[in-house]
Amino acid sequence: MSNLLTVENQKAQQELQPRVRRTLDYLQIALYKDVNPLDWEDWRWQLKHRIRSREELAQVIKLSPEEEEGLKKASGRLSMAITPYWSTLMDPDDPACPIRRQAVPVGTEFTVAPHEMTDPCAEDRDSPAPHLVHRYPDRVLLLATDHCAMYCRHCTRRRLVGEHAHQDNSSNRFDAAIDYIKSNRKVRDVLISGGDPLIMEDEEIENLLQKIRAIPHVEFLRIGTRAPVTLPQRITEKLANTLKKYSPVWVSIHFNHPKEITKRCKIACEMLADAGIPLGSQTVLLKGINDRPYIMRKLMQELLQIRVRPYYIYQCDPVRGTQHFRTPVAVGINIMEKLRGHTSGYAVPTYVIDGPGGGGKIPVGPNYILSQAKGKYVLRNYKGKIYTYLE
Ligand SMILES: *Cc1c(COP(=O)(O)O)cnc(C)c1O
Ligand code: SF4
């Protein structure tokens, strides 16, 4: 592999940490073989060189008719952007590749099924200030940016996210949200999400964390991101140290398939975990991607190995144009049945449905209580054996 490198690129490679150097598989892909390893490892280079057009995409994968149709129709808010890193994980010959399906639009995205909505969780309705959603008594959701490294085709916030030009980038754009949190002493938990907040510059992230940390009644801060998965180069020692400074900051990472846990992704998660940042995962149940119990079990077990604690599996929200991703609820319940008891309890997240219309996350799962009478519970265990608990 290295004998294909120019002298300059060989030198650049030597400047990288050995553990990072071992992940440079991209050099085997024709489109990227001449890229300087230092550029490849630069998250801004990755963002700048995202695949945005059919022509670029056709150089890394063999497009299927469904994808051709999707690309023809995709525009505006449903924009496509694929980091070079993510593109190297896509199977060029298989349109069913789970990595590819999450990133490449298909024709069915443009048909709206019955019950599908633009804002299924009614976040816009529960917004007391710009960029803020307040649904639960003690915590708020702050939508810090509309941008992401990659745009997931199943995104619940696709009404907001994308590369459209009118994003407000002013440094005071969170003032009203911060004021709202300040004046609500019940808010003890702030979840910073988006878009992907880690797409912002270090200084911007620090600025926001600082402002929120300065509010005495905010105990708990968390960040929802997909950067370690779609743009692992974004997780630098500097960023990890910034997050550490405002501890406790927890980080929830969106993972959907075991193929996403690459050597490079592991390094990003290690950096965060080594900085003492607790990591959780969020997974969207997606048809043909992770709807088989053995795939979901593998994902959860591999997450534990990189010190990420599985937190939620979401039923795919009824957002417009996502019917090809949605499974029956029974599929999710069956997955939970095959996890609990069959593997480490730490590998078992909570399966939730976000109540359409703004109900919040509602846990659903197998029923283990067979009957409940005065002082007596009849229960079944994971093997179906029956036990009676007397109170
Ligand atoms: C998911 C969510 C939260 C956080 O919920 P947890 O169950 O505490 O993780 C807060 N606000 C909104 C609007 C949410 O959608
Ligand atoms: S990273 Fe999250 S917010 Fe961004 S497109 Fe994917 S699901 Fe949507």
Side-chain angles (χ1 to χ4, degrees), residues 148 150-152 155 161 194-195 226 254:
C148 300
M150 177 192 94
Y151 295 104
C152 310
C155 181
V161 304
R226 212 178 180 194
H254 179 165

Side-chain angles (χ1 to χ4, degrees), residues 293-332:
Y294 80 93
I295 297 213
M296 206 57 110
R297 189 176 61 228
K298 187 165 191 270
L299 174 62
M300 300 304 153
Q301 290 171 344
E302 290 190 7
L303 286 171
L304 287 187
Q305 292 187 53
I306 58 167
R307 287 180 283 172
V308 176
R309 160 71 158 114
Y311 182 41
Y312 280 136
I313 292 176
Y314 294 101
Q315 172 67 11
C316 185
D317 288 326
V319 66
R320 285 164 77 99
T322 56
Q323 62 170 322
H324 55 296
F325 282 125
R326 234 170 353 264
T327 68
V329 174
V331 169

Side-chain angles (χ1 to χ4, degrees), residues 123 133-136 139-141 157 189 191 222 311-312 314 354 361:
E123 292 181 333
V133 183
H134 192 183
R135 166 151 313 142
Y136 299 106
R139 54 208 190 279
V140 293
L141 167 65
R157 299 210 182 98
D189 171 0
L191 163 54
R222 36 181 171 162
Y311 182 41
Y312 280 136
Y314 294 101
D354 222 317
K361 298 173 185 73

